[in-house]
Amino acid sequence: EDQVTQSPEALRLQEGESSSLNCSYTVSGLRGLFWYRQDPGKGPEFLFTLYSAGEEKEKERLKATLTKKESFLHITAPKPEDSATYLCAVPRGSTLGRLYFGRGTQLTVWP
Amino acid sequence: GAVVSQHPSRVICKSGTSVKIECRSLDFQATTMFWYRQFPKQSLMLMATSNEGSKATYEQGVEKDKFLINHASLTLSTLTVTSAHPEDSSFYICSANLQGFEETQYFGPGTRLLVL
């Protein structure tokens, strides 16, 4: 059965303290790994899609990388506004929009 | 970017009543939309795939007679929670993708349902 596991469950960083979030997956025939940001009481906001091992994508202070077994979301010099829950997801079945989500990492960045 | 809206944003109802939640793609057509449910401190769980002009496809364990889905047009899907009970209280979120760009899902802002 496909599995997506995220760690840590929660992470507290001081502003400017870089770190990484992990998403490990067991999926046969990966057709993409997705990262989303979710603020409290809101729907997820799309960040990145990664398709193959070795691929990297960046957006402002965020960089996502992918290996054959896991993905990392690196946060460089985070700011308080980066506080959110970060979710990773993989497609289930043949329909790309059917996503299996991990439980997320709740990131808190304090000044 | 593509925008998905949901209405209402929050609803409180009595046990035994039915509640309808709308999901609209505002600036694009979506032949397929998806409905998720999220309990507190939990991740999003896919409930069903909504296909325009045809029956929805439900995930294992989701009661199709309780969660009625209608996708009447290319921009609107509705989820009706029938005979709601307190355990149905949750955060319901829909998503849609652009034709030709199915890898990117755009999520609505969610609907908070509280059943008393």
Side-chain angles (χ1 to χ4, degrees), chain A residues 6 34 36 38 41-46 49 51 87-88 92 95-104 106, chain B residues 32 34 36 38 41-46 49 59 91 93 95 97 102-110 112:
Chain A
Q6 291 188 247
F34 304 83
Y36 287 86
Q38 186 177 27
K42 303 283 183 63
E45 175 190 343
F46 173 77
T49 307
Y51 291 103
L87 302 166
C88 75
R92 53 163 77 183
T95 306
L96 280 176
R98 293 177 65 228
L99 296 176
Y100 184 94
F101 279 88
R103 297 183 65 163
Q106 185 176 5
Chain B
T32 305
F34 304 87
Y36 292 81
Q38 186 176 33
K41 302 295 184 182
Q42 301 292 316
S43 191
L44 282 77
M45 297 296 293
L46 179 65
T49 302
E59 297 298 316
F91 193 49
I93 309 173
S95 72
N97 53 21
E102 283 80 2
E103 70 276 8
T104 302
Q105 287 293 307
Y106 295 95
F107 283 82
R112 176 74 61 191

Side-chain angles (χ1 to χ4, degrees), chain A residues 2 15 28 30 58 63 66 79 82 84-85 96 101 105:
Chain A
D2 296 345
E15 184 172 4
S28 56
L30 183 70
E58 289 188 64
K63 183 170 79 171
L66 182 66
K79 299 181 178 181
D82 295 322
T85 296
L96 280 176
F101 279 88
T105 293

Side-chain angles (χ1 to χ4, degrees), chain B residues 4-66:
Chain B
V4 176
S5 71
Q6 284 184 239
H7 178 80
S9 58
R10 57 179 60 197
V11 56
I12 302 173
C13 68
K14 292 182 179 180
S15 185
T17 61
S18 294
V19 175
K20 180 185 284 189
I21 302 170
E22 293 185 347
C23 175
R24 293 182 185 271
S25 55
L26 296 185
D27 50 1
F28 66 101
Q29 294 182 332
T31 54
T32 305
M33 291 183 174
F34 304 87
W35 287 96
Y36 292 81
R37 180 168 53 181
Q38 186 176 33
F39 292 106
K41 302 295 184 182
Q42 301 292 316
S43 191
L44 282 77
M45 297 296 293
L46 179 65
M47 299 175 67
T49 302
S50 171
N51 301 296
E52 187 268 336
S54 63
K55 290 182 179 180
T57 303
Y58 291 82
E59 297 298 316
Q60 191 173 9
V62 178
E63 300 176 60
K64 60 183 179 181
D65 294 330
K66 180 169 185 62

